[in-house]
Amino acid sequence: MTASLEQLRRCHFAVDLGAARTRVYVRGVGLVVDQPSVAAVNTRSGALIAVGDFAERMRGRTPGHIRVVRPVSGGTVVDIEMAQRMLRGLLGDRLRRALRRKPFLRAAACTPHEADPLARRAAVETLVGLGARRVELVDTLIAAAVGCGLPVQQPEATMIMACGTATTQVAVLSLGSTVSSERIPVGGDAVDHAIVQHLRHQHELMLPSQSVRPLHLALSDIGLTAQGPKSTVIRGRDVVTGLVRSVQVDTAAVREAIETPLTAVVDVIGRVLRECPPDLVADLVDRGIMLVGGSALLPGLDEMVRQATGMPVHIAERPDVCAVQGLGYMLEGRIEPLVLGATVM
């Protein structure tokens, strides 16, 4: 982890700036913000119109002079000024004033594993713009592992797969550090895009972007598996006529359509294990893989990973908030550092 546990205990709040959602944890209070990383801006005046859930509902429904933007991509801030404005709107005046009363405001933030210096600098400048005098950076994989209760500080292997909106990160952790890891630009958005393209090519149907997630849920609790429903009804816009039309979608064809992005996710697990020492791989035989991140809830993903690797696969109790929850545990001092050199009787 980039920052020490002692430094993190001095922080007053923590931020997880994700491509899909932004979450803020305040020490002694808990999770205070959990909203989409979206802002709506008036391009004529430059005024910020809405942030979070309200701005998300505006996507695809705005006039020409209103633009809906995402200042964060793949866990990296791509527009520092807009990210600061979005965070100010999400926190609200009351909470911002309460934080600014701190004599030496400290903040913690998640950064993707092996983030480049420019991405790390952007995360720091974003929080400095909110009044933070010091910013501690924590690897997202370490924070997520702590948040879902894995024994990160112990000399034993734990494997975690963080399934984000734009990227997927896989790592083997031991003694509070990353032993072997890899990151690929494939996430929930790639799966959604594969479904949208399948419906466009096979059924000549344009699916609204906000209708893809309900499609996942429409495939029942057992998800995109052979035991799931054989078909489901989807409504969208006809490519030729432009009129609203409903079609009967074969779920087997949907499984085939998303096989390519999901196969890339499964392949990265094998590459990480090949770079890992044999002793740590042996620890993973019974412990298996922990899935975290919002896309970990994609129906059938855990079963696909289980069949491909032959290892147990577990989904965290609340996979979408594991990273910020882990930061919160560190801020509250719930994680004890490993004591080296202790006498074993």
Side-chain angles (χ1 to χ4, degrees), residues 45-278:
S45 63
L48 187 68
I49 297 175
V51 294
D53 289 324
F54 189 43
E56 177 72 15
R57 292 198 299 270
M58 298 169 110
R59 288 180 60 197
R61 298 180 171 90
T62 60
H65 67 282
I66 296 178
R67 188 164 58 100
V68 178
V69 297
R70 289 185 176 274
V72 185
S73 176
T76 301
V77 177
V78 294
D79 187 336
I80 295 175
E81 181 184 357
M82 187 56 65
Q84 291 174 348
R85 297 176 68 184
M86 180 188 72
L87 277 172
R88 292 191 192 103
L90 292 175
L91 288 172
D93 294 337
R94 183 176 180 182
L95 185 54
R96 288 208 324 272
R97 285 196 298 267
L99 290 174
R100 285 184 175 274
R101 292 193 191 103
K102 307 293 182 183
F104 192 87
L105 186 63
R106 293 173 179 256
C110 289
T111 56
H113 182 66
E114 296 182 349
D116 58 66
L118 188 61
R120 296 164 62 84
R121 181 68 179 174
V124 172
E125 289 188 8
T126 299
L127 296 186
V128 167
L130 292 178
R133 302 286 297 277
R134 183 181 176 91
V135 180
E136 308 291 350
L137 300 180
V138 180
D139 191 320
T140 300
L141 294 172
I142 300 291
V146 170
C148 61
L150 295 178
V152 179
Q153 297 291 102
Q154 299 304 314
E156 53 191 27
T158 55
M159 190 169 192
I160 186 168
M161 184 166 80
C163 309
T165 301
T167 61
T168 297
Q169 303 175 76
V170 181
V172 175
L173 311 174
S174 180
L175 290 172
S177 299
T178 303
V179 178
S180 174
S181 67
E182 190 161 338
R183 179 185 178 196
I184 58 172
V186 177
D189 281 348
V191 174
D192 293 350
H193 180 73
I195 295 175
V196 170
Q197 291 302 308
H198 167 75
L199 293 175
R200 183 182 180 92
H201 295 153
Q202 299 299 321
H203 300 277
E204 296 184 344
L205 192 74
M206 292 185 67
L207 191 66
S209 59
Q210 297 181 4
S211 299
V212 179
R213 292 300 178 185
L215 174 59
H216 297 163
L217 301 177
L219 295 171
S220 86
D221 294 336
I222 51 181
L224 297 173
T225 62
Q227 294 77 30
K230 295 187 181 297
S231 64
T232 185
V233 177
I234 298 299
R235 178 178 296 178
R237 191 181 74 185
D238 190 282
V239 174
V240 179
T241 65
L243 301 177
V244 177
R245 182 164 62 91
S246 298
V247 297
Q248 195 85 9
V249 178
D250 183 9
T251 55
V254 175
R255 288 199 301 272
E256 186 177 347
I258 68 173
E259 186 174 342
T260 299
L262 291 185
T263 299
V265 172
V266 172
D267 289 345
V268 76
I269 297 175
R271 294 198 295 270
V272 169
L273 290 174
R274 283 194 293 272
E275 298 174 1
C276 192

Side-chain angles (χ1 to χ4, degrees), residues 16 23 140 144 148 160-165 167 290-298 301 315-316 318-323:
D16 177 20
R23 299 175 176 93
T140 300
C148 61
I160 186 168
M161 184 166 80
C163 309
T165 301
T167 61
M290 179 66 75
L291 303 186
V292 300
S295 297
L297 298 173
L298 179 69
L301 176 60
I315 301 178
R318 294 193 62 191
D320 52 337
V321 299
C322 281

